[in-house]
Amino acid sequence: MKKPIIAFMYDFDRTLCTKDMQEYSFIPGLGVDAKTFWAEVEKMSKTENMERIISYMYYMIKSATAKNLPIQRSNFVDNGKDVELFPGVKDWFTRMNTLGEELGLQIEHYIISSGLTEIIEGTEIHKEFKKIYACEFHYDENGCADWPALTVNYTNKTQFLFRINKGILEMTEDEALNEFVEDRNRRIPFRNMIYLGDGLTDVPCMKLVKNNGGQSIGVYTDKDHVKNLLLDRRVDFIAKADYRKDSQLDHICTTILKKMALVNELVDLNHDQRDQEKK
């Protein structure tokens, strides 16, 4: 019998790292502070009636070009080397994978983020993820970023849950994604999903996972930013962004995995009995 697959799905900015990923290297390289940069993005979004995620990507290209700064893919990947992760993140994946193995589970990790794939790929944890769903640039014939190739905002984030659910991971596979697949035959049922995010932009994913039997967790550095998510029943738990062993977050996720192992065992027993009765 195949091991049940459990999907950990993470936002990135302020969930795994301490601030927006552009603020470590890219924005300082422009010679401005983060507040000024994001204010200009917001201004452009309103003035041009442009979706905010597209606005920040366009403004990255525009502002870097104005400063004669390089904007090739390798430059953005290099920015990832300076990203600061929350305590315990570096060994989190190994610990969860090991626990999963002990419980008879197969653990997979995914990113669903409005940040940049290129910067995430420059971090030391990027190889931990089976798939990274985040914004990406298109690059021209000279290898320079010239337009968004993929944007991920707070509403379209939910499509990636269904891709993970069905095992249709590539963005080009639209027809396969929309084909009917019975719930019991989907690669990762929603009950086997754990979503970690830091705020309101994660709410659609958090609610979708929670309402379909999975577990959603709001992580924080300031509890006031997420406590209403718990009070309004948009998440199952909230915890400080501390991924170290024996932290509250570690205890919550350890307990969830133990529960999921038992639930999957019961589901298998139920299916076996139903199949026997059909014979």
Side-chain angles (χ1 to χ4, degrees):
M1 185 177 294
K2 291 183 178 179
K3 291 181 179 180
I5 304 172
I6 307 299
F8 275 91
M9 300 168 295
Y10 312 83
D11 182 30
F12 199 88
D13 295 340
R14 304 178 192 275
T15 297
L16 294 176
C17 68
T18 59
K19 55 187 177 182
D20 291 334
M21 62 182 69
Q22 297 86 352
E23 296 178 11
Y24 295 99
S25 297
F26 179 81
I27 294 176
L30 297 174
V32 299
D33 60 26
K35 184 176 180 180
T36 300
F37 178 87
W38 295 117
E40 288 298 318
V41 169
E42 187 69 22
K43 178 181 177 182
M44 174 177 289
S45 177
K46 291 180 179 179
T47 302
E48 304 296 334
N49 194 28
M50 187 184 297
E51 200 272 330
R52 191 175 185 277
I53 303 301
I54 297 176
S55 297
Y56 98 65
M57 297 179 73
Y58 176 77
Y59 192 68
M60 285 181 72
I61 296 172
K62 179 181 178 181
S63 56
T65 301
K67 294 282 188 177
N68 291 316
L69 297 175
I71 50 173
Q72 294 187 317
R73 197 178 201 285
S74 59
N75 303 124
F76 294 123
V77 173
D78 283 343
N79 289 162
K81 297 174 183 177
D82 296 323
V83 169
E84 180 184 353
L85 303 170
F86 280 119
V89 168
K90 293 177 186 178
D91 64 356
W92 167 264
F93 307 97
T94 298
R95 283 191 285 108
M96 292 299 108
N97 295 346
T98 300
L99 176 60
E101 186 70 25
E102 293 171 357
L103 295 170
L105 304 171
Q106 178 181 330
I107 308 297
E108 294 178 354
H109 304 274
Y110 297 84
I111 291 292
I112 306 177
S113 170
S114 295
L116 284 175
T117 294
E118 293 90 331
I119 294 180
I120 296 171
E121 287 180 355
T123 67
E124 56 191 306
I125 60 171
H126 79 279
K127 291 183 179 180
E128 303 288 354
F129 305 106
K130 183 174 180 66
K131 188 71 174 178
I132 296 171
Y133 292 115
C135 300
E136 295 183 44
F137 284 115
H138 174 269
Y139 296 88
D140 64 19
E141 63 275 9
N142 297 314
C144 295
D146 62 357
W147 192 252
L150 174 64
T151 62
V152 178
N153 63 36
Y154 71 98
T155 51
N156 73 16
K157 274 186 174 186
T158 56
Q159 71 162 298
F160 304 110
L161 300 181
F162 290 101
R163 289 190 178 278
I164 296 166
N165 171 236
K166 289 187 174 182
I168 311 297
L169 301 184
E170 297 306 317
M171 291 298 297
T172 54
E173 297 184 73
D174 292 330
E175 291 187 12
L177 178 63
N178 291 317
E179 289 179 358
F180 174 76
V181 180
E182 189 175 348
D183 285 347
R184 67 176 292 184
N185 294 326
R186 297 188 179 196
R187 186 171 183 271
I188 305 180
F190 279 97
R191 71 172 184 273
N192 287 355
M193 292 183 175
I194 305 169
Y195 187 92
L196 291 86
D198 68 292
L200 291 176
T201 58
D202 297 298
V203 164
C205 284
M206 289 171 163
K207 288 195 66 176
L208 183 60
V209 170
K210 182 179 184 295
N211 291 345
N212 284 279
Q215 302 285 318
S216 292
I217 304 169
V219 301
Y220 65 84
T221 53
D222 181 352
K223 186 183 287 189
D224 287 340
H225 289 163
V226 296
K227 68 178 182 181
N228 285 336
L229 296 179
L230 181 66
L231 296 175
D232 295 337
R233 300 181 182 179
R234 291 177 161 188
V235 298
D236 298 286
F237 305 98
I238 59 174
K240 187 177 180 181
D242 181 350
Y243 292 78
R244 289 173 290 191
K245 183 175 174 58
D246 297 327
S247 67
Q248 183 184 30
L249 182 58
D250 179 76
H251 176 64
I252 289 170
C253 288
T254 296
T255 306
I256 288 173
L257 288 180
K258 291 177 181 177
K259 172 193 172 185
M260 287 182 169
L262 293 172
V263 169
N264 277 279
E265 184 176 355
L266 288 172
V267 169
D268 287 341
L269 287 171
N270 174 263
H271 286 165
D272 288 344
Q273 284 196 339
R274 287 163 61 190
D275 291 340
Q276 285 291 328
E277 293 301 321
K278 289 178 181 178
K279 294 180 180 180

